[in-house]
Amino acid sequence: MFKKLAAEALGLGDIGKIIPSQDYDKVDSDDYILSEDNEKIFFLIKSKRDEYCFTNRALIHIDGASALDKKRILRRYEYYQFPFSNIALQTAGTIDLDVEISFNIGNVPLMISVTKSQVDQLKDLYKALLAIQQEVHHNHSLLNFANDSLQKAVTTVASGKQENVSKSQELQNINEYIFNWNKNSFDKYNQKDFTAILKGILIIKY
């Protein structure tokens, strides 16, 4: 018991390991995958206290208060709703036992330590998170451009005169057009599945 407490106090008890894909069915996160939506695990880090499960749709974090407590809190962060930012990778020094990846997902800061023998795999995760961050930012920019274009078009139409069209009919037509435009733009530029990006960077072999 004393050794476990000492390890946790020194931060050694929470050094994670990257779990190989053949063992994904043995982790707790597997119970919370949205299989009905074709969600799949692409990367998973497990420590004595936490699990960090990166799927094609979201980060699933199973958070333990301590390595000695069986209580867990499950949190799910969809990538398109909680963009990545401040992504950083810290490699190991001479006497370090671990390497670290840190990032914000939405407004939530996370720092994950992994045994330094797995630094190459962690580098792949770093590149994958950067690629998702860039794709989400690009999609949000396109959505803003689409909304800006719509507003300019509506202003132009509203300033013109349309004969033989009642005001109520004109309002209805514009309203339906705006609704359909916004819905189509939202569906197009709010990407939820990042399988293509992850498959291009993460080789499922660990």
Side-chain angles (χ1 to χ4, degrees):
M1 176 67 73
F2 175 77
K3 289 182 179 180
K4 288 183 179 179
L5 290 171
E8 186 173 8
L10 294 171
L12 304 179
D14 202 35
I15 296 177
K17 289 186 177 180
I18 298 169
I19 303 301
S21 57
Q22 63 267 25
D23 292 332
Y24 286 164
D25 60 344
K26 300 181 178 67
V27 298
D28 293 335
S29 298
D30 188 56
D31 295 334
Y32 305 104
I33 298 299
L34 303 180
S35 302
E36 64 275 14
D37 288 336
N38 296 316
E39 185 172 29
K40 295 180 175 62
I41 300 174
F42 275 82
F43 204 94
L44 197 143
I45 300 171
K46 182 176 179 62
S47 68
K48 291 182 180 179
R49 193 173 72 181
D50 297 297
E51 281 185 18
Y52 300 91
C53 176
F54 298 85
T55 76
N56 53 316
R57 295 174 55 100
L59 167 60
I60 298 172
H61 179 200
I62 298 180
D63 183 5
S66 73
L68 306 178
D69 191 345
K70 293 184 178 181
K71 292 181 180 179
R72 297 290 184 267
I73 299 173
L74 174 68
R75 296 183 175 91
R76 180 183 177 90
Y77 304 96
E78 294 276 349
Y79 300 141
Y80 81 102
Q81 292 178 318
F82 299 89
F84 289 109
S85 63
N86 298 325
I87 304 168
L89 180 68
Q90 179 177 300
T91 57
T94 305
I95 63 172
D96 293 326
L97 299 177
D98 63 330
V99 291
E100 292 180 348
I101 187 168
S102 61
F103 53 86
N104 287 4
I105 186 159
N107 294 323
V108 179
L110 291 174
M111 180 178 293
I112 308 171
S113 297
V114 173
T115 180
K116 68 178 180 180
S117 63
Q118 295 182 309
V119 64
D120 288 339
Q121 295 97 311
L122 201 64
K123 289 177 181 178
D124 287 344
L125 177 63
Y126 170 79
K127 290 186 287 187
L129 299 190
L130 282 178
I132 292 174
Q133 176 191 21
Q134 292 167 0
E135 185 70 11
V136 171
H137 176 75
H138 179 69
N139 288 337
H140 284 179
S141 296
L142 291 177
L143 182 59
N144 289 333
F145 293 156
N147 289 334
D148 184 57
S149 297
L150 176 61
Q151 292 303 318
K152 290 178 180 177
V154 169
T155 300
T156 301
V157 171
S159 64
K161 293 183 178 180
Q162 301 184 48
E163 297 181 358
N164 300 321
V165 177
S166 68
K167 290 295 182 182
S168 60
Q169 183 63 49
E170 183 179 354
L171 179 60
Q172 180 179 344
N173 292 341
I174 292 176
N175 184 61
E176 289 178 358
Y177 184 84
I178 292 174
F179 176 82
N180 290 328
W181 176 283
N182 285 336
K183 183 179 184 302
N184 291 336
S185 297
F186 181 86
D187 292 342
K188 183 177 181 180
Y189 297 125
N190 275 286
Q191 179 181 346
K192 297 181 180 179
D193 190 333
F194 293 85
T195 297
I197 288 177
L198 293 169
K199 276 187 174 180
I201 297 176
L202 299 178
I203 301 175
I204 312 304
K205 64 180 181 181
Y206 308 129

